[in-house]
Amino acid sequence: MLKKIKKDKKELMRAIKDEVVALKKSPLYKYRIENKNLPVIGQGSHDAKVMFIGEAPGKNEAQTGFPFCGASGKILDELLAYIGMDREKVYITNIVKDRPPLNRDPSPEEIKIYGPFLDRQIEIIEPKIIVGLGRYSMEYIMRKFGLESKLEPISKLHGQVFETTLPYGKVKIIILYHPAVAVYNSHTKNMLKKDFELLKKL
Ligand code: URA
């Protein structure tokens, strides 16, 4: 039975990948093909209790097809190691699955096109804790889970825990600063470390 569920999850994830690969209606599709980039679907365990959601792939990610494998990924790895969390045991993804040109912020249209794939990933993985990294992820997650009335600047919301109930049970939501803010700033890195300690407690 367990094997079957695992197989189903794999197939559902594979379907998402196939659809994103063929997503010609995306404004980012042409850029991906022209630059021989790859879409970045996600990485980690399909049974993860904790799911990290970033914004969109950067250059390294689009070249390898893996999320958070560049400078921000190094910080994320450090933070995971800091609380003894295994990268293979969590699931890491982004709202937008293709790299925006020159790493610009994702547009509302792009978030609208790629958001449903993220929604499906949440339904497949059924995480108990969802961690939003950065303000785009914060806005998407808070709105998706009916928490828009609690939206505030990320400087206020980071490190707070919200709760929502999904069809599979209660889910905790935590918003954290995007690891990119800590690449050149040890103050924000310390703030992120403190917020990760909270994640460890949960
Ligand atoms: N920034 C993100 O938001 N996601 C990545 O995968 C890499 C950098």
Side-chain angles (χ1 to χ4, degrees):
M1 179 67 180
L2 193 63
K3 251 195 182 151
K4 167 135 183 1
I5 293 170
K6 277 207 165 134
K7 192 167 156 252
D8 287 350
K9 285 188 173 192
K10 214 170 156 191
E11 275 167 14
L12 291 167
M13 280 292 188
R14 163 69 59 174
I16 290 175
K17 183 171 182 185
D18 292 346
E19 285 173 51
V20 173
V21 166
L23 198 64
K24 289 198 178 143
K25 70 172 182 184
S26 164
L28 300 175
Y29 178 84
K30 196 162 161 255
Y31 182 74
R32 183 216 298 161
I33 301 295
E34 283 172 356
N35 289 279
K36 297 192 170 55
N37 280 343
L38 296 167
V40 179
I41 308 301
Q43 185 185 32
S45 166
H46 294 169
D47 300 313
K49 300 263 183 296
V50 185
M51 184 168 181
F52 289 87
I53 302 171
E55 294 175 356
K59 188 173 179 198
N60 289 291
E61 289 77 19
Q63 280 171 353
T64 59
F66 293 110
F68 284 96
C69 63
S72 305
K74 225 173 130 212
I75 302 279
L76 182 60
D77 286 346
E78 244 182 76
L79 292 162
L80 288 170
Y82 176 65
I83 59 165
M85 204 178 255
D86 209 339
R87 183 166 168 144
E88 282 99 70
K89 289 205 178 121
V90 302
Y91 192 81
I92 303 174
T93 187
N94 290 299
I95 312 174
V96 170
K97 312 297 189 197
D98 279 303
R99 181 189 180 209
L102 304 171
N103 293 349
R104 64 155 170 75
D105 291 337
S107 72
E109 185 194 357
E110 288 154 9
I111 291 174
K112 202 166 163 208
I113 287 179
Y114 289 93
F117 295 110
L118 172 64
D119 298 348
R120 280 161 61 187
Q121 288 176 305
I122 294 172
E123 280 164 28
I124 295 167
I125 293 172
E126 303 190 334
K128 296 271 180 276
I129 300 176
I130 293 178
V131 186
L133 300 171
R135 71 190 163 94
Y136 287 91
S137 190
M138 167 184 84
E139 289 206 5
Y140 186 85
I141 294 167
M142 297 289 283
R143 287 187 205 288
K144 173 171 169 58
F145 296 121
L147 297 164
E148 57 267 64
S149 64
K150 303 217 162 79
L151 262 173
E152 280 191 88
I154 195 161
S155 55
K156 289 239 170 83
L157 278 200
H158 76 95
Q160 289 186 42
V161 182
F162 299 93
E163 233 181 51
T164 191
T165 304
L166 296 187
Y168 63 88
K170 281 199 184 344
V171 179
K172 288 190 165 55
I173 292 165
I174 310 176
I175 304 301
L176 302 184
Y177 277 116
H178 193 286
V181 301
V183 173
Y184 300 110
N185 187 329
S186 56
H187 173 64
T188 40
K189 193 179 198 174
N190 286 336
M191 264 190 319
L192 262 164
K193 273 187 164 172
K194 240 181 116 211
D195 288 348
F196 263 70
E197 283 169 17
L198 169 77
L199 189 58
K200 185 176 184 179
K201 271 196 212 134
L202 292 179

